[in-house]
């Protein structure tokens, strides 16, 4: 991530890449992702373990851990400084995700209303084709939210009890949320 000079590791991006290249991991992960469910812990932990072991310097984990089991395994792999918990109203989330468009080539992310591309269907950065993620339909987003409440929400308590969580109001616009995060992590830099 440019602003923090740390690597950005997104398990969602890594899994989508695995699906695209039809690797063994991708073939196993696809059905869970399309259904709005979590990919099994052992697969995601192995992916993160491999990624972190080849890493020098700091990193930002995006979308990991998503279960208590993943959090416990992460502790065996590496010590983390803090957890950023973005709190967003569910109706706002459904609107953000169903109107999200992603670039097939560079991974750039747009929103049809709040951050539209200059040219319809084309990425501003690289001219790549924009597409809607197959799990960004309303039905799958709602299932992903159910999965979140059941499997991921307990992590708020887990990291809260360790004094490791920064709760950030994510309802605001992109710049305001970004500034709130930067301000909250300032003491650690
Ligand atoms: P994301 O790009 O973070 O929204 O993730 C997209 C999908 O990838 C999720 O709905 C899950 O199916 C899968 N996924 C991403 N990260 C994880 C994780 N840490 N554990 C299990 N499944 C994950």
């Amino acid at each position: 991530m440019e602003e923090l000079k740390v690597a950005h590791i997104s398990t969602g991006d890594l899994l989508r890449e695995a699906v695209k290249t039809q690797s063994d991991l991708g073939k196993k992960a696809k059905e869970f992702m399309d259904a709005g469910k979590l990919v099994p812990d052992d697969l995601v932990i192995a992916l993160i373990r491999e990624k972190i072991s080849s890493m020098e310097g700091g990193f930002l984990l995006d979308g990991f851990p998503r279960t208590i089991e993943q959090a416990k395994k992460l502790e065996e792999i590496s010590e983390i400084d803090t957890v950023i918990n973005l709190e967003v109203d569910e109706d706002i989330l459904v609107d953000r995700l169903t109107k999200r468009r992603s670039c097939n080539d560079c991974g750039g992310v747009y929103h049809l209303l709040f951050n539209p591309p200059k040219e319809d269907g084309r990425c501003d950065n690289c001219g790549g084709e924009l597409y809607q993620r197959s799990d960004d339909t309303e039905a799958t987003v709602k299932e992903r939210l159910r999965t979140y409440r059941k499997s991921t929400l307990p992590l708020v308590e887990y990291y809260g009890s360790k004094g490791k969580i920064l709760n950030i109001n994510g309802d605001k616009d992109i710049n305001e949320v970004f500034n709130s995060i930067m301000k909250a992590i300032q003491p650690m830099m």
Side-chain angles (χ1 to χ4, degrees), residues 42-112:
D42 54 340
L43 297 179
V44 184
I45 290 161
L47 183 67
I48 280 290
R49 196 186 285 280
E50 188 197 325
K51 199 78 197 168
I52 292 181
S53 66
S54 65
M55 205 96 247
E56 283 174 23
F59 50 81
L60 173 92
L61 295 174
D62 171 358
F64 182 94
R66 262 166 148 114
T67 63
I68 299 276
E69 171 70 12
Q70 291 179 15
K72 289 190 172 155
K73 281 285 176 340
L74 176 60
E75 278 154 31
E76 293 168 15
I77 303 171
S78 182
E79 196 192 334
I80 54 157
D81 298 321
T82 194
V83 174
I84 298 169
N85 177 38
L86 290 171
E87 298 176 303
V88 186
D89 175 89
E90 289 207 354
D91 289 337
I92 297 181
L93 269 182
V94 172
D95 188 66
R96 282 186 186 168
L97 297 189
T98 53
K99 294 193 178 71
R100 171 164 65 180
R101 296 294 180 270
S102 310
C103 175
N104 225 341
D105 294 339
C106 74
V109 177
Y110 297 83
H111 185 276
L112 294 181

Side-chain angles (χ1 to χ4, degrees), residues 89-155:
D89 175 89
E90 289 207 354
D91 289 337
I92 297 181
L93 269 182
V94 172
D95 188 66
R96 282 186 186 168
L97 297 189
T98 53
K99 294 193 178 71
R100 171 164 65 180
R101 296 294 180 270
S102 310
C103 175
N104 225 341
D105 294 339
C106 74
V109 177
Y110 297 83
H111 185 276
L112 294 181
L113 302 178
F114 306 134
N115 181 29
K118 293 196 182 88
E119 189 190 331
D120 227 17
R122 290 263 152 232
C123 176
D124 294 354
N125 298 328
C126 73
E129 194 184 340
L130 300 185
Y131 75 103
Q132 181 176 30
R133 269 171 51 172
S134 57
D135 60 351
D136 275 348
T137 59
E138 185 162 343
T140 312
V141 167
K142 290 197 166 150
E143 183 56 32
R144 285 160 64 195
L145 287 171
R146 275 191 286 277
T147 302
Y148 169 80
R149 282 193 292 271
K150 181 166 160 264
S151 306
T152 306
L153 194 56
L155 287 173

